[in-house]
Amino acid sequence: MAPKEKKAQQKLMRPSVRKLHAYTPGEQPKVRGLIKLNTNENPAPPSPKVLKALSKAVDIRLRLYPDPSASELRQLLASLYKLNADQVIVGNGSDDLLALATRAFVEPQHPTDNGTGINRSTIQYFVPSYSLYPVLTDIQNARRNEVPLLSNFNIPAGTALKKAGWKSRAALSLVTTPNAPSGRGYSNEQLRLICEQTKGVVILDEAYAEFANENALSLIDEFPNVLISRTFSKAYSLCFQRVGYFLGNPELIEALDKVRDSYNVNGLGQTAAIATLKDHAYYRRNFKAIIQRRKDTTEAMEEMGFDVLPSQTNFVFAKPPAASAETWFDALRENKVVVRWFKTPEISQYLRVTMGSESEMKTFLKTCKAILKTLS
Ligand SMILES: *Cc1c(COP(=O)(O)O)cnc(C)c1O
């Protein structure tokens, strides 16, 4: 498009959208035969019962709208966590609900607000954490408050939290716990300190809770301003179906419910998630296997000279030996192993490696050994 035409088109957009940088998802490679350890998908297939429920559901009923309130799914989730159904909302992945939270709780900045109402328009989160948060903040035209984690990716504790820039009255605070991309877990004691020091809505984004020693669910009983975010994507091998959920105070859940699309979780997504919850034992075996694999992989990588951070997730975050993380990323890719590397300065020395299947991890480790030989 000619520059002049492009400029005319730009004028049609909200200024905040003109400037927007969209979220960069991990690559879904089109080439076959790659070992894909870059987006924290679960290597195990969904339960056979889930696959069966899905194929049974694919018939002429596809012409009908699904249950707009996803009542069976929400009821099952409520029973699982011993909550009431009005404490549960489901979304098109937890990403959908995170976006809804910005709409329900955060006022967009107004050009004339001159710094008044700063908190009403502020979304805060730690860096590094989930890289979608800044994008959601910009989409809502809200104010970013990025609070640095300590260099070991721990949360600044006590008075250090405020000193680091944490704002008690920010409209929305997003905390990835266990943290991504570092994998570090946070104890409920640490999280409680944050909740105590925050008056706005706090979302504890527990996308990896099933792989952690501890989860923060009990904090919703202590703090009416706290929501827990979970997903079927990572632990339940269901990325494709896009189902996530929030748990917490009924008033906050109702606010989210008001701003969501009536059919934000599609029918097959609901079917898959319901069948998943009815076969929970299948998945608990998988969590155990992934946690064991994480331990074995960590040990093998450490033996090669990787500096591996302790992980409470289904991935490890590690500084490779002998060459830069970027060099390693390229070398692995050339050998058909795709991991995640972030260009962001604070973490550009690290590779994030998802726990794949047992044989994929064997190949990954063998490939690493071969690369290390060429480097030393
Ligand atoms: C993967 C991930 C999500 C998104 O999960 P979906 O339910 O697939 O949208 C949210 N938060 C974090 C920290 C994640 O890693």
Side-chain angles (χ1 to χ4, degrees), residues 39-40 92-96 98 130 133 176 178 180 205 207-208 229-234 239 242-244:
T39 47
N40 300 341
N92 184 34
S94 48
D95 287 352
D96 174 36
L98 292 168
Y130 188 26
Y133 304 154
T176 316
D205 182 348
Y208 302 98
S229 172
R230 296 274 182 92
T231 175
F232 283 88
S233 295
K234 315 289 170 42
C239 292
R242 315 294 306 122
V243 190

Side-chain angles (χ1 to χ4, degrees), residues 251-313:
E251 306 282 337
L252 296 185
I253 296 291
E254 193 188 351
L256 294 165
D257 199 49
K258 282 191 209 163
V259 298
R260 76 177 171 92
D261 181 88
S262 314
Y263 306 105
N264 66 329
V265 181
N266 73 76
L268 293 176
Q270 292 185 38
T271 301
I274 289 167
T276 297
L277 293 174
K278 288 183 175 168
D279 198 11
H280 211 240
Y282 169 92
Y283 294 93
R284 277 195 289 265
R285 282 195 296 277
N286 171 261
F287 306 156
K288 269 199 179 153
I290 298 273
I291 290 166
Q292 182 61 44
R293 202 165 299 149
R294 181 178 78 202
K295 186 167 170 274
D296 297 342
T297 306
T298 300
E299 282 167 12
M301 288 174 77
E302 281 174 342
E303 246 170 62
M304 272 183 263
F306 280 83
D307 185 2
V308 189
L309 288 173
S311 169
Q312 291 284 302
T313 61

Side-chain angles (χ1 to χ4, degrees), residues 218-231:
S218 64
L219 294 180
I220 62 174
D221 299 329
E222 293 177 48
F223 301 97
N225 60 329
V226 172
L227 292 165
I228 297 281
S229 172
R230 296 274 182 92
T231 175

Side-chain angles (χ1 to χ4, degrees), residues 38-238:
N38 67 333
T39 47
N40 300 341
E41 289 143 326
N42 198 313
S47 144
K49 290 180 184 158
V50 171
L51 299 180
K52 208 162 148 197
L54 280 172
S55 32
K56 249 180 74 185
V58 178
D59 62 21
I60 54 166
R61 281 170 297 172
L62 290 183
R63 71 187 183 82
L64 299 172
Y65 281 109
D67 175 1
S69 57
S71 26
E72 187 180 358
L73 176 54
R74 285 177 38 246
Q75 191 54 59
L76 282 170
L77 285 166
S79 320
L80 178 64
Y81 298 115
K82 303 191 171 56
L83 301 169
N84 294 321
D86 65 358
Q87 293 175 283
V88 184
I89 184 169
V90 292
N92 184 34
S94 48
D95 287 352
D96 174 36
L97 294 167
L98 292 168
L100 289 181
T102 68
R103 274 155 73 185
F105 305 129
V106 186
E107 201 66 58
Q109 296 176 84
H110 195 271
T112 59
D113 87 7
N114 292 330
T116 56
I118 285 183
N119 292 318
R120 203 54 265 166
S121 300
T122 296
I123 299 178
Q124 67 186 345
Y125 45 86
F126 293 108
V127 281
S129 69
Y130 188 26
S131 51
L132 180 67
Y133 304 154
V135 180
L136 292 178
T137 307
D138 294 351
I139 292 173
Q140 184 65 3
N141 194 22
R143 216 177 281 264
R144 293 186 191 187
N145 186 36
E146 305 193 329
V147 179
L149 288 172
L150 306 180
S151 60
N152 63 1
F153 305 106
N154 241 323
I155 295 171
T159 52
L161 183 63
K162 208 171 190 177
K163 275 202 199 114
W166 191 260
K167 290 188 165 66
S168 154
R169 294 191 178 273
L172 182 61
S173 305
L174 302 165
V175 182
T176 316
T177 173
N179 180 257
S182 74
R184 182 174 288 284
Y186 302 125
S187 69
N188 282 354
E189 238 168 290
Q190 287 173 289
L191 297 171
R192 189 175 288 112
L193 287 177
I194 298 176
C195 298
E196 280 166 357
Q197 292 190 49
T198 316
K199 298 212 158 56
V201 175
V202 180
I203 297 177
L204 302 175
D205 182 348
E206 290 200 314
Y208 302 98
E210 290 83 355
F211 306 109
N213 291 338
E214 203 176 353
N215 71 65
L217 187 60
S218 64
L219 294 180
I220 62 174
D221 299 329
E222 293 177 48
F223 301 97
N225 60 329
V226 172
L227 292 165
I228 297 281
S229 172
R230 296 274 182 92
T231 175
F232 283 88
S233 295
K234 315 289 170 42
Y236 298 96
S237 306
L238 221 53

